Amino acid sequence: MGSENFFYTANKAEKDSLQFRMLNQGMEGYYEGAAFNVYSIDDKPLDAMPVYRYLSSDNNSHLYSSSPYEQSILNTSSGWINEGIAWYAESV
């Protein structure tokens, strides 16, 4: 059984760009639709919390974090690149 990877984004332009590249450059993968509800950077409630996206320079995978503590660790690691806020979520 092969390994499955997932990429999440709340940015429609990023989703459209990735779909275009997958179709026109022979990339494997497909669009599965909405996985869960989030708020875009431009359309968020006042009490929403940011979820940051990190890229692993070791294996080209992504990690998503809403934890300031976890982010402080990732931000000081040479193996992770902070790609900024991916979306906003409601705090629990």
Side-chain angles (χ1 to χ4, degrees):
M1 181 173 208
S3 171
E4 291 190 37
N5 294 307
F6 296 90
F7 180 80
Y8 301 100
T9 183
N11 182 311
K12 183 180 179 334
E14 186 174 46
K15 177 204 61 102
D16 292 345
S17 174
L18 184 57
Q19 280 186 287
F20 180 81
R21 288 190 332 229
M22 286 170 35
L23 180 66
N24 292 302
Q25 295 178 5
M27 295 172 62
E28 289 189 30
Y30 54 94
Y31 176 64
E32 293 188 52
F36 44 86
N37 294 321
V38 298
Y39 299 99
S40 72
I41 293 172
D42 300 325
D43 183 29
K44 63 181 179 6
L46 291 176
D47 63 342
M49 66 175 158
V51 176
Y52 287 82
R53 183 171 76 195
Y54 289 84
L55 173 65
S56 168
S57 57
D58 295 331
N59 63 15
N60 203 33
S61 65
H62 286 91
L63 179 146
Y64 301 85
S65 175
S66 61
S67 164
Y69 175 73
E70 182 177 50
Q71 292 163 25
S72 70
I73 294 169
L74 293 167
N75 287 334
T76 59
S77 170
S78 62
W80 291 98
I81 300 165
N82 183 336
E83 294 186 323
I85 297 172
W87 59 73
Y88 283 83
E90 291 188 44
S91 53
V92 288

